[in-house]
C-alpha cells in the first residue's frame, strides 16, 4: 500500500503558573531548594487538612482564557483524579474534569479545546544509569513541586507537521511570557508539552489511531519526537500494519521512542467531585481585573508592525516576539528624522541584538534609541557607509557615546568631495587597465581590483555604490 499520508498532531501542554504560593496551600513555590523543605500538611495530603483555591492562579487562568478567546465557565469545579503513585501523597490529584475553567479558544491557527487548573505532582528521581524507573536501583521523591499550580491546555488536532508544532509552541511560549503567568522554560519544566500524533490518508477527514509522546523537554526534542513518530507510523501503515494506541517515551539521548504503557481511560481514574472546594465562579470584578491585566500580545504586535511600519514578516515577528527589542525599536522611531524608514531602523535594532544577545534588554545597553536613530540617519544619508556604520555601532555597544564624535574620532566620514573620489577612481582605472578593459567589455566581476584600490586609498570611507557608478561613468558604460 502506498498512499500519501498526512500527519495529524494535537498538543497537551502543562503551564506552571508563576504564583507566589501553591495551588491549594500557602507553601511558597520551589525553585531548586533543598528537597522536601517546601511542604505542609495540606500539600502532603495529611488527614484532616483542607485545601483553599489560590486566587492568583484563578486570575492567571482567566487571563489565559481571555488571551486565547476562550469561553469561561460561570461555575467550574474541581475533581479528584485518583491514582496510586508516590508522586501524589493524597492518592489523588485535584484537577478539573468535565467543567474546566476555559473551553473553545484559539491561538493563531490552532483551536484550543480546553484549559483547566490543577496541581502539579511531586518530583520522582530514579537513581540509576538511565534515569528511568524500570532499570533504576531506587527512586526518591521530592514533594517541593507537589501542589504547584498548573494550567493544562489541550489543543484540537489542528497541527500538520513537527515544524508547525514547534512554531506554534513558540508563539504560545512568547504569549504566555508576555502575559506574565509563567516562566515558560521547557528545560526547567515550567512549560511541558506532550504530543498526540496520528497519520491518515491525505484528503481523509477521519482521524487515525493516535499515540501520545512524553518526555520531550525542549523545542528541538518536540520536533525530533514528532518526526520520529510520524516516520514510525508511516512505515507501519505502508506495511499494512495497525498503529496501536499507546503512550510513548522519548529518549533524548538516542532520539528514539519506546512504549511506556498502554493508553489509560478516564474511568480508570474514578474521577469524583472534590467535596472540600467550592466551585470557581468568576465575578464581574474578577473578569474585569483579568481583562485589564492583559498587555498587547505578540501576535497583535506582529500584525501592528506590518500595518503601521510596513515591516517584513521575519523582522516584525522577531521584534514582536522579543518585546524588549520591539519597545526599543518603537523608541527609535520616535527619535528618528523623517528620511529614515522604520525598516532601516528595525535593521539596526537587529544589528544591535546580534551584538548584545537576544536575551539582553537593549534599554539597558550603552546604545540609546536616539544614538541608533542618528546612526541610521547618517547611513541613510550616505554620510557614512554601511560598514562604517557597523563599526560605529561596535563602539557604541562597548562604550556608548556620541555618534558624530565617534565618526570624527575614528575617521569614518564618507568622502564628502565627489571630485576627490572621482580622482581616486580615475587613478584606480589607470592602475588596473586590464580589469578596466574587461569591465568595459561587460565583465562586471572584473570590477573587484578597481573597487579594492579605491577602498584602500580611501581607507574604506568610499560608498561602494558610488564607486561603481563613477567607474561606469568614466568607462562610458
Ligand atoms: P484522550 O481521550 O486520549 O485523552 P482526547 O480526545 O482527549 O484524547 O485528545 C487528547 C489530545 O489528543 C488532544 O490534544 C487532541 O487534539 C489530540 N488528538 C485526539 N485525537 C487525535 C488523533 N487522532 N490524532 C492526533 N491527535 C489527536
Ligand atoms: Zn503546602
Ligand atoms: Mg482527554
Amino acid at each position: 500500500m502506498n498512499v500519501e499520508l498526512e500527519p495529524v498532531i494535537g498538543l497537551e501542554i502543562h503551564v506552571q503558573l508563576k504564583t507566589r504560593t501553591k495551588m491549594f496551600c500557602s507553601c511558597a513555590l520551589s525553585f531548586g531548594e533543598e528537597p522536601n523543605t517546601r511542604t505542609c500538611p495540606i500539600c502532603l495530603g495529611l488527614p484532616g487538612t483542607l485545601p483553599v483555591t489560590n486566587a492568583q492562579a484563578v486570575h492567571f487562568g482567566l487571563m489565559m482564557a481571555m488571551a486565547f478567546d476562550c469561553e469561561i465557565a460561570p461555575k467550574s469545579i474541581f475533581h479528584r483524579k485518583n491514582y496510586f503513585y508516590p508522586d501524589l501523597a493524597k492518592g489523588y490529584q485535584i484537577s478539573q474534569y468535565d467543567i474546566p475553567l476555559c473551553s473553545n479558544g484559539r491561538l493563531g491557527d490552532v483551536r484550543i479545546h480546553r484549559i483547566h487548573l490543577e496541581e502539579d505532582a511531586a518530583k520522582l528521581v530514579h537513581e540509576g544509569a538511565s534515569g528511568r524507573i524500570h532499570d533504576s536501583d531506587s527512586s526518591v521523591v521530592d514533594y517541593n513541586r507537589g501542589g504547584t499550580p498548573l494550567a493544562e491546555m489541550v489543543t484540537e488536532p489542528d497541527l500538520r507537521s513537527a515544524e508547525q508544532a514547534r512554531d506554534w509552541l513558540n508563539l504560545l511560549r512568547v504569549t504566555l511570557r508576555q502575559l506574565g503567568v509563567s516562566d515558560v522554560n521547557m528545560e526547567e519544566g515550567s512549560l511541558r508539552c506532550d504530543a498526540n500524533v496520528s497519520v491518515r490518508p491525505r484528503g481523509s477527514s477521519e482521524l487515525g489511531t493516535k499515540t501520545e509522546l512524553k518526555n520531550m523537554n525542549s523545542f528541538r526534542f518536540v520536533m525530533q519526537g514528532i518526526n520520529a513518530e510520524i516516520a514510525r507510523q508511516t512505515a507501519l501503515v505502508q506495511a499494512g500494519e495497525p498503529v496501536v494506541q499507546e503512550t510513548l517515551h522519548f529518549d533524548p539521548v538516542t532520539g528514539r521512542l519506546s512504549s511506556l504503557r498502554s493508553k489509560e481511560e478516564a474511568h480508570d481514574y474514578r474521577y469524583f467531585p472534590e467535596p472540600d472546594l467550592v466551585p470557581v465562579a468568576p465575578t464581574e470584578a474578577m473578569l474585569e481585573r483579568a481583562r485589564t491585566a492583559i498587555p498587547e500580545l505578540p501576535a497583535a504586535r506582529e500584525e501592528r508592525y506590518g500595518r503601521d511600519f510596513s515591516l517584513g514578516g521575519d523582522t516584525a515577528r522577531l521584534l514582536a516576539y522579543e518585546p524588549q527589542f520591539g519597545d526599543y525599536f518603537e523608541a527609535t522611531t520616535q527619535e528618528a528624522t523623517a528620511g529614515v524608514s522604520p525598516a532601516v531602523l528595525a535593521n539596526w535594532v537587529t544589528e544591535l541584538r546580534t551584538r548584545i544577545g537576544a536575551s539582553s534588554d537593549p534599554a539597558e545597553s550603552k546604545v540609546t534609541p536616539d544614538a541608533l536613530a542618528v546612526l541610521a540617519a547618517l547611513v541613510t544619508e550616505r554620510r557614512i557607509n554601511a560598514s562604517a556604520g557597523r563599526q560605529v555601532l561596535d563602539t557604541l555597544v562597548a562604550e556608548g557615546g556620541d555618534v558624530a564624535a565617534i565618526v570624527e574620532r575614528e575617521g569614518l566620514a564618507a568622502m564628502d568631495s565627489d571630485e576627490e573620489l572621482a580622482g581616486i577612481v580615475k587613478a584606480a582605472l589607470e592602475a588596473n587597465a586590464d580589469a578596466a578593459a574587461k569591465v568595459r567589455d561587460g565583465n562586471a566581476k572584473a570590477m573587484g581590483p578597481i573597487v579594492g584600490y579605491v577602498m584602500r586609498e580611501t581607507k574604506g570611507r568610499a560608498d561602494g555604490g558610488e564607486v561603481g557608478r563613477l567607474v561606469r561613468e568614466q568607462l562610458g558604460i
Side-chain angles (χ1 to χ4, degrees):
M1 194 167 78
N2 229 324
V3 290
E4 204 199 328
L5 296 173
E6 168 186 67
V8 174
I9 302 152
L11 302 177
E12 290 174 280
I13 298 129
H14 285 90
V15 183
Q16 264 188 8
L17 298 177
K18 205 162 74 177
T19 51
R20 210 171 44 75
T21 56
K22 291 187 180 180
M23 189 67 208
F24 300 113
C25 66
S26 53
C27 291
L29 294 198
S30 172
F31 297 97
E33 279 76 18
E34 187 70 9
N36 296 307
T37 55
R38 296 213 160 173
T39 61
C40 73
I42 295 176
C43 57
L44 287 176
L46 301 190
T49 56
L50 282 175
V52 176
T53 305
N54 183 327
Q56 184 68 10
V58 173
H59 173 64
F60 284 161
L62 293 175
M63 286 176 70
M64 289 171 67
M66 289 171 183
F68 304 136
D69 282 327
C70 293
E71 292 159 25
I72 296 168
K75 236 184 190 190
S76 71
I77 60 171
F78 288 101
H79 271 71
R80 292 184 179 182
K81 180 180 183 179
N82 298 280
Y83 66 86
F84 176 75
Y85 204 56
D87 66 356
L88 268 180
K90 298 196 291 290
Y92 58 86
Q93 175 193 32
I94 305 179
S95 181
Q96 295 195 298
Y97 179 49
D98 53 357
I99 316 180
L101 182 66
C102 333
S103 50
N104 298 326
R106 172 180 290 278
L107 173 65
D109 46 13
V110 173
R111 291 168 298 156
I112 292 164
H113 179 61
R114 59 182 279 160
I115 307 175
H116 72 244
L117 298 175
E118 63 184 27
E119 58 178 339
D120 207 347
K123 191 169 167 184
L124 285 178
V125 181
H126 305 300
E127 299 175 327
S130 74
R132 291 189 56 189
I133 188 163
H134 302 295
D135 44 14
S136 66
D137 301 327
S138 64
S139 297
V140 290
V141 58
D142 172 10
Y143 283 102
N144 282 358
R145 197 183 69 184
T148 299
L150 295 179
E152 176 176 339
M153 306 179 60
V154 181
T155 77
E156 298 293 348
D158 287 346
L159 294 155
R160 294 292 174 268
S161 71
E163 293 72 23
Q164 198 194 353
R166 179 210 45 205
D167 290 350
W168 185 83
L169 207 52
N170 191 33
L171 172 63
L172 175 68
R173 179 172 64 167
V174 294
T175 304
L176 292 170
R177 181 178 293 148
Q178 189 66 4
L179 284 171
V181 299
S182 171
D183 288 332
V184 287
N185 186 320
M186 285 195 83
E187 283 76 14
E188 292 171 3
S190 51
L191 181 70
R192 309 201 282 268
C193 175
D194 299 338
N196 296 269
V197 178
S198 64
V199 297
R200 65 181 176 193
R202 195 172 291 283
S204 160
S205 57
E206 271 166 52
L207 290 170
T209 302
K210 72 170 159 74
T211 56
E212 183 171 352
L213 278 49
K214 288 188 178 293
N215 195 44
M216 301 169 296
N217 62 358
S218 75
F219 280 66
R220 193 163 63 83
F221 292 152
V222 169
M223 285 246 291
Q224 259 186 21
I226 292 175
N227 276 329
E229 181 56 7
I230 292 172
R232 191 187 71 88
Q233 289 188 19
T234 301
L236 282 175
V237 173
Q238 302 291 17
E241 285 170 36
V243 171
V244 177
Q245 176 159 343
E246 61 185 339
T247 303
L248 299 168
H249 177 97
F250 176 80
D251 183 338
V253 177
T254 62
R256 292 225 191 84
L257 298 160
S258 58
S259 184
L260 200 61
R261 56 170 185 256
S262 65
K263 175 70 192 168
E264 73 285 357
E265 302 284 346
H267 62 247
D268 295 335
Y269 291 116
R270 293 153 46 241
Y271 278 100
F272 66 87
E274 167 61 68
D276 290 340
L277 286 167
V278 293
V280 179
T283 61
E284 200 37 60
M286 288 161 74
L287 296 174
E288 184 54 25
R289 197 164 82 82
R291 207 173 286 125
T292 53
I294 296 176
E296 183 185 33
L297 297 176
R301 193 186 274 227
E302 182 181 347
E303 200 192 299
R304 178 166 65 83
Y305 285 172
R307 192 177 59 235
D308 293 358
F309 297 119
S310 305
L311 292 188
D314 286 353
T315 312
R317 175 160 300 184
L318 190 146
L319 296 176
Y321 281 22
E322 292 168 7
Q324 77 275 26
F325 286 99
D327 291 346
Y328 186 92
F329 159 71
E330 290 184 49
T332 67
T333 66
Q334 298 291 315
E335 301 291 343
T337 47
V340 185
S341 77
V344 166
L345 291 167
N347 193 41
W348 282 102
V349 174
T350 60
E351 288 274 354
L352 173 59
R353 175 178 172 276
T354 310
R355 285 164 175 74
I356 64 174
S359 56
S360 301
D361 184 353
E364 278 159 22
S365 76
K366 294 191 170 131
V367 189
T368 63
D370 177 54
L372 201 69
V374 168
L375 175 59
L378 286 184
V379 177
T380 300
E381 292 159 10
R382 294 176 172 252
R383 299 196 1 235
I384 60 175
N385 68 22
S387 77
R390 284 191 289 273
Q391 193 177 321
V392 172
L393 185 55
D394 289 338
T395 304
L396 282 173
V397 168
E399 53 203 52
D402 179 67
V403 172
I406 295 169
V407 169
E408 172 80 35
R409 191 179 73 216
E410 300 186 8
L412 297 170
M415 325 258 327
D416 48 8
S417 151
D418 278 358
E419 277 125 75
E420 187 188 351
L421 184 58
I424 295 171
V425 169
K426 184 156 179 284
L429 290 174
E430 283 163 10
N432 296 277
D434 285 359
K438 285 183 194 154
V439 173
R440 195 183 287 111
D441 290 342
N443 180 356
K445 281 192 197 129
M447 189 90 89
I450 302 167
V451 175
Y453 180 102
V454 175
M455 289 301 172
R456 260 192 320 279
E457 287 299 303
T458 62
K459 300 199 173 64
R461 290 175 305 144
D463 181 86
E466 185 63 9
V467 173
R469 196 187 65 72
L470 286 168
V471 167
R472 283 187 294 275
E473 183 182 286
Q474 294 188 17
L475 293 175
I477 43 179

